[in-house]
Amino acid sequence: YLKENKHAITYGEATLTQRETDVLKLLAQGMRNKEIGANLGITEETTHGYIKSIFSKLKVQDRTAAVTVALRRGIIHLE
């Protein structure tokens, strides 16, 4: 189930902000925090905060699990 509003997208029980979704897409491309931050114009520390939030919302412990769950739920897609 997918529900969108202006600032957040709900995938089943997890609601990710647009920025969290952007970070997750770059995570899936194998980027490091510093690279994600540079790409989005945010600090490495801010990127780390978004990633921690993503892990919590998706109930995962690492990047690989976050990307796997996101792909399975249709949050992100491989291009």
Side-chain angles (χ1 to χ4, degrees):
Y1 133 77
L2 172 70
K3 181 180 176 187
E4 281 190 66
N5 72 32
K6 188 175 180 182
H7 303 288
I9 306 169
T10 301
Y11 302 94
E13 51 203 60
T15 300
L16 300 180
T17 66
Q18 183 60 54
R19 184 58 100 182
E20 288 167 342
T21 304
D22 295 341
V23 168
L24 193 51
K25 288 176 183 176
L26 296 175
L27 253 180
Q29 293 176 24
M31 289 189 184
R32 295 184 303 257
N33 290 7
K34 190 172 187 176
E35 296 169 311
I36 293 169
N39 193 286
L40 297 176
I42 59 178
T43 67
E44 188 174 351
E45 292 77 19
T46 300
T47 301
H48 181 71
Y50 281 124
I51 292 171
K52 283 177 60 174
S53 179
I54 291 164
F55 287 3
S56 175
K57 290 179 178 184
L58 296 181
K59 297 177 175 60
V60 298
Q61 303 269 329
D62 60 52
R63 292 167 174 261
T64 302
V67 171
T68 301
V69 168
L71 286 167
R72 285 185 180 152
R73 292 187 186 176
I75 298 170
I76 59 172
H77 305 280
L78 296 176
E79 295 182 20

